[in-house]
Structure formats: structure tokens, C-alpha cells
């Protein structure tokens, strides 16, 4: 591996600690089908119930579309710039999805960007742009491959797609496929400098033994000692990946919610079911308050540009983060649910309250050392908010450091249209 200088990242961080505090990242779902507004991979197996706007495209037609993929060079730069403005700390690109099409010119097969009019290396552009922005870089890689001759490929005769009913390989074919799988990962982990994260998917189609996940993980960690691996390499991995869902309780180890802006992963002009920027910010607050990360997805169009609906949301989030990002990035979960009606985070002695519903006059925080409250402000404006503490009279009289409740006045004008953050400084 070539020596790599990564701006903004200290070597002491190389253990994955960065991930447990990152809080916000950008997921990018992109493939040759993006030119047609197709969901990634699922159209070729006839769609999937959880993807309401997914098309149905015959397998041959789907794969043939690869030859027409001709994005603009350097498209990744704009996505990464937007990620940076949003305060995102890492990025993940679909280097290869279930459809088997590689966004880098893999030497292990001829089914890649090298066989298109583009001929460049979209993985390299992505990795380089991410690193130049000082962010951590991750690659999404699906273990399954609905195109590879030895997998073997999914054909229209195999429809409908059902769990456990994937076409079975021959023994010799499977041995070749596993070799191919190792070869592709070796390329990604050798040719692009430091890779901070691997985001596996598709593992459900075979067993951990069939994938040889132990051997695969050993190879990965020997090539990239600091790498973080998600939980979708069966039997391995460092963190949980609830998809399209925020768990009500933290799962007990590092975790990340991956979330689409609408109901599709790849660009789909017919899917107008977008969440509002406000809803996305609220989800970010909820995730941060439970110690997780939000991996927010964009689906660039075929030429690599982002659709206005997606840019609008990223811009709004960036605006909110510019003023309130300190309540999210690098924070820890703070209060128990009974203490405040909303998500909370903390950094040192500063507590952040995320006000996600409009208060009547005030909000209340319970179980605080009320005499140690030094200052309460609305974070965006810095406006000082009036507050008063209350505790049992007996403590008021005889306890020098009583625990009680703090009621904070929240006048209408300080409310942020997306989410109001109140910072409480304690001595
Ligand atoms: O890339 C996006 C999706 O295309 C991909 N993950 C995100 C990040 C994804 N692939 N599959 N899934 C999500 C969910 C798969 C669900 C099912 Fe099954 C596969 C339903 C039936 C087969 C796995 C096996 C879950 C239940 C049985």
C-alpha cells in the first residue's frame, strides 16, 4: 500500500474510535441504472417489497444498460463538498452493488466502468475527493453478484426473487467466485491508499462459511489495519446497521442508521416521497442522542449531478449544522428519557437539549444539579434564556448541591424552523 497522508486525521485515531463519535456521514448509491432513474440492482430481480418505487426490468436489459453509463468526470467533488458543509465526517460509495457492476476498473472481470464510454475510475475520484476534504472514506461492497457467471447470475427464469431460492453454484464455480471476491476486495484495499470503512451487504444469500468470512476479514484487516467493518459480513464486523430505522434503544455497541431522503436508494425521478429537511434533522438529533451515526443517502443522477430535491435538503441541513453542529458532532448521549422530552447530548459540562416540538412557554429538565447551572442559551443565536430551578424545600434549605428540575423559558422568536438547540452549561 502506498504511503498516504490523510489531512485532518491524526494517526492516534486509527482504531475506529473515530467511528463511534462520527455521528454523521454521506451514503452514495450510484450505478449505471441511475441514467434511467432505476433503483440499484433490485429491478433486475423484479423489485422488492420494501422498495415501493422500484422498477421491474428484465435482467438482460438491466445489465446491457451498463454500456451506456457516461457520467461527467469529477462528479464526486460536489457531493463531498455538500457533505463537508453538512458537517459529515465520512462518506460511503457503492463500489459494487448486488448487480455486480464495479465502479472501478477491476482487473478481476470485465464488468466495470472500464467497459463503458467513461473509462475512468469512479472509486478513485470518490476516495480522492473525500480525502482532500479531510473526511473518512468508506466503500460499500455487496458480497452477492447477480451478474457473475460463477455466482451464478440471476435470470428471469429465477423470478420471483425469494429468500433462500437464489440459483445454486457448482462447486468449481463457487471456488472461482470466492477467488474473484477476494481479488476485488484486495484491489479496493490495496490500490486506493487508506480506506477507513467497509460497508458489506448481500450476505444473506450464502453462509458465513461459503463466503469464507473469517479468511476475508483476516485479509481485510491485514491490508487495512485501522479499518472499520459493518455487521453485514456474516459472523464478523464492528458495528450494527439498522436500515431505514432508528432503534428505540441503543444496540449496545457502535451503530449507524442508514437512511434514504425519499424511499429509494438510487436516483428515481418518480419517487417524490421525500422527508423534509426538518424531519432529517430531527432524525439526526435522535440518532446522536442514542450514540449512533446517521448515514444519510443521496442518489446522484446518471451524469453524477444531484437532483434539486436532494441539494435543497443538504443545503438546509448544512445551514442548521453551521449553527448547531456542536450539539451533534463528537458528542455523547446525555440524559435519560424521563429527564427531558426530547433528544439530548453532551460534551464535557455542556448539555444540549434538542427541542423538537414547539413549547408552550417553557421546557423542563429533571434530575439536574440545579445550583450548578451556570448559563442557558439558545445555541444558534447565543441568546440567554431565562431559567429557574426547583427542588424539595428541605434540600433547598439544607443541601448545598441539590438535584431538582430546571424550567427554561423559550420565547417564540428563538425557535429554529428545523430544531431548536438549548445549551446548558454546568459548573
Ligand atoms: O443498498 C441498499 C439496499 O439495496 C440494500 N441495502 C441498502 C443499503 C438492501 N439489500 N437488501 N436489502 C436491503 C434488504 C433485503 C431484504 C430481503 Fe431478505 C432480501 C428480503 C428478502 C431477501 C434478507 C433476507 C432479509 C430478509 C431475508
Amino acid at each position: 500500500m502506498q504511503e498516504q497522508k490523510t489531512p485532518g486525521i491524526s494517526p492516534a485515531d486509527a482504531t475506529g474510535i473515530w467511528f463511534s463519535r462520527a455521528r454523521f456521514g454521506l451514503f452514495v448509491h450510484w450505478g449505471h441504472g441511475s441514467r434511467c432513474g432505476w433503483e440499484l440492482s433490485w429491478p433486475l430481480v423484479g423489485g422488492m417489497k420494501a422498495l415501493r418505487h422500484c422498477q421491474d426490468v428484465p435482467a438482460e436489459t438491466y445489465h446491457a444498460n451498463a454500456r451506456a453509463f457516461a457520467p461527467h468526470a469529477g462528479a464526486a467533488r460536489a457531493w463531498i463538498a455538500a457533505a463537508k458543509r453538512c458537517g459529515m465526517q465520512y462518506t460511503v460509495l457503492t463500489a459494487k452493488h448486488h448487480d455486480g457492476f464495479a465502479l472501478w476498473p477491476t482487473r478481476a472481470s470485465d464488468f466495470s466502468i472500464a467497459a463503458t464510454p467513461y473509462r475512468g475510475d469512479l472509486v478513485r475520484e470518490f476516495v480522492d475527493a473525500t480525502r482532500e476534504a479531510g473526511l473518512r472514506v468508506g466503500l460499500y461492497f455487496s458480497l452477492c453478484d447477480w451478474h457473475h457467471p460463477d455466482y451464478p447470475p440471476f435470470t428471469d427464469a429465477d423470478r420471483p426473487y425469494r429468500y433462500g431460492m437464489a440459483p445454486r453454484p457448482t462447486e468449481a464455480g463457487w471456488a472461482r467466485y470466492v477467488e474473484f471476491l477476494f481479488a476485488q476486495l484486495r484491489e479496493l484495499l490495496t490500490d486506493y491508499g487508506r480506506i477507513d470503512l467497509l460497508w458489506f451487504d448481500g450476505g444473506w444469500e450464502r453462509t458465513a462459511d461459503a463466503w469464507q468470512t473469517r479468511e476475508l476479514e483476516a485479509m481485510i484487516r491485514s491490508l487495512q489495519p485501522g479499518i472499520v467493518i459493518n455487521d453485514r459480513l456474516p459472523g464478523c464486523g464492528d458495528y450494527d446497521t439498522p436500515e431505514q430505522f432508528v432503534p428505540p434503544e441503543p444496540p449496545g455497541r457502535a451503530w449507524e442508521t442508514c437512511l434514504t431522503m425519499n424511499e429509494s436508494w438510487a436516483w428515481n425521478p418518480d419517487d417524490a416521497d421525500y422527508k423534509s429537511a426538518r424531519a432529517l434533522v430531527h432524525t439526526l438529533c435522535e440518532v446522536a442522542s442514542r450514540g449512533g451515526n446517521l448515514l444519510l443517502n443521496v442518489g446522484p443522477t446518471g451524469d453524477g449531478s444531484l437532483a434539486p430535491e436532494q441539494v435543497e435538503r443538504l443545503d438546509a441541513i448544512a445551514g442548521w449544522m453551521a449553527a448547531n453542529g456542536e450539539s451533534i458532532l463528537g458528542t455523547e448521549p446525555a440524559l435519560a428519557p424521563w429527564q427531558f422530552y426530547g433528544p439530548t447530548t453532551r460534551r464535557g459540562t455542556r448539555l444540549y437539549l434538542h427541542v423538537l416540538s414547539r413549547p408552550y412557554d417553557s421546557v423542563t429538565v429533571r434530575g439536574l444539579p440545579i445550583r450548578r447551572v451556570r448559563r442557558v442559551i439558545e445555541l444558534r443565536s447565543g441568546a440567554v434564556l431565562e431559567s429557574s430551578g426547583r427542588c424539595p424545600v428541605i434540600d433547598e434549605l439544607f443541601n448545598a448541591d441539590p438535584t431538582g428540575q430546571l424550567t427554561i423559558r423559550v420565547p417564540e422568536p428563538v425557535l429554529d424552523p428545523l430544531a431548536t438547540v438549548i445549551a446548558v452549561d454546568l459548573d
Side-chain angles (χ1 to χ4, degrees):
M1 193 171 79
Q2 78 226 50
E3 205 34 44
Q4 199 73 45
K5 269 225 140 135
T6 309
I9 296 170
S10 73
D13 271 344
T15 53
I17 295 164
W18 69 271
F19 183 81
S20 63
R21 293 279 175 87
R23 297 293 173 263
F24 203 14
L26 183 74
F27 212 172
V28 181
H29 271 69
W30 201 32
H32 62 76
S34 301
R35 205 176 55 85
C36 311
W38 292 344
E39 182 55 277
L40 209 44
S41 304
W42 290 100
L44 86 93
V45 299
M48 203 248 282
K49 212 170 74 186
L51 297 168
R52 286 188 279 118
H53 302 272
C54 184
Q55 302 79 1
D56 178 341
V57 180
E60 293 273 328
T61 313
Y62 181 93
H63 294 309
N65 183 61
R67 289 195 289 273
F69 192 32
H72 295 157
R77 260 171 219 295
W79 321 332
I80 309 299
K84 183 91 180 165
R85 284 195 297 275
C86 286
M88 290 169 169
Q89 304 289 300
Y90 65 112
T91 64
V92 181
L93 172 71
T94 50
K96 195 184 90 166
H97 206 260
H98 316 328
D99 66 10
F101 181 76
L103 294 188
W104 80 102
T106 177
R107 297 181 291 280
S109 86
D110 56 10
F111 193 52
S112 78
I113 191 70
T116 70
Y118 185 68
R119 288 219 185 78
D121 185 340
L122 299 174
V123 168
R124 188 169 304 283
E125 292 179 19
F126 185 81
V127 169
D128 289 353
T130 299
R131 272 217 207 84
E132 276 164 31
L135 307 185
R136 300 272 182 173
V137 68
L139 297 175
Y140 170 108
F141 186 94
S142 178
L143 292 162
C144 64
D145 191 319
W146 296 337
H147 176 274
H148 194 281
D150 292 319
Y151 187 69
F154 189 94
T155 69
D156 295 344
D158 300 311
R159 289 175 173 218
Y161 182 88
R162 277 161 300 171
Y163 177 62
M165 298 295 283
R168 311 313 297 180
T170 64
E171 205 176 308
W174 187 250
R176 281 194 301 270
Y177 181 74
V178 169
E179 204 168 300
F180 161 79
L181 177 68
F182 275 62
Q184 284 204 319
L185 279 163
R186 208 176 295 119
E187 290 177 0
L188 290 174
L189 300 177
T190 307
D191 299 346
Y192 297 89
R194 177 152 136 198
I195 301 298
D196 297 293
L197 186 148
L198 263 181
W199 214 103
F200 281 104
D201 207 354
W204 69 83
E205 285 203 343
R206 300 284 190 276
T207 62
D209 279 352
W211 298 121
Q212 299 184 22
T213 58
R214 289 283 155 214
E215 294 81 354
L216 200 54
E217 186 182 30
M219 180 189 81
I220 293 164
R221 297 206 192 272
S222 79
L223 293 172
Q224 296 279 346
I227 204 163
V228 174
I229 305 176
N230 76 343
D231 61 347
R232 301 191 189 192
L233 183 62
C236 307
D238 304 312
Y239 74 93
D240 291 356
T241 53
E243 182 164 327
Q244 305 279 38
F245 188 67
V246 179
E249 300 272 2
R253 65 166 175 171
W255 64 279
E256 169 199 74
T257 286
C258 52
L259 187 77
T260 51
M261 284 188 180
N262 54 2
E263 294 298 321
S264 307
W265 291 99
W267 161 239
N268 181 346
D270 298 325
D271 177 359
D273 291 345
Y274 277 91
K275 297 157 191 81
S276 65
R278 180 191 284 153
L280 294 170
V281 165
H282 287 198
T283 300
L284 178 60
C285 296
E286 295 282 359
V287 165
S289 77
R290 284 166 222 173
N293 297 338
L294 178 64
L295 187 61
L296 181 62
N297 184 71
V298 294
T301 62
D303 65 18
S305 60
L306 291 177
E309 295 90 327
Q310 302 188 13
V311 172
E312 238 170 65
R313 280 157 182 81
L314 291 171
D315 284 349
I317 295 169
W320 186 84
M321 284 293 284
N324 298 294
E326 69 157 271
S327 73
I328 301 288
L329 303 176
T331 61
E332 295 172 77
L335 304 177
W338 60 267
Q339 295 185 277
F340 182 70
Y341 295 143
T344 59
T345 57
R346 77 177 338 135
R347 180 186 285 101
T349 54
R350 181 168 258 202
L351 182 64
Y352 300 101
L353 312 173
H354 292 117
V355 180
L356 305 189
S357 3
R358 302 178 79 84
Y360 285 98
D361 308 297
S362 60
V363 296
T364 296
V365 194
R366 298 175 173 82
L368 278 195
I370 51 172
R371 289 218 186 120
R372 280 190 272 143
V373 173
R374 156 75 50 90
R375 205 165 75 112
V376 181
I377 60 168
E378 191 268 325
L379 190 58
R380 181 184 48 161
S381 61
V384 173
L385 303 181
E386 228 179 89
S387 68
S388 60
R390 207 169 244 291
C391 64
V393 171
I394 194 83
D395 289 319
E396 206 174 307
L397 296 175
F398 300 109
N399 189 339
D401 184 19
T403 295
Q405 66 178 48
L406 183 73
T407 296
I408 302 165
R409 283 193 55 79
V410 186
E412 188 84 29
V414 307
L415 292 179
D416 186 296
L418 297 183
T420 307
V421 183
I422 298 174
V424 178
D425 289 316
L426 298 167
D427 279 333

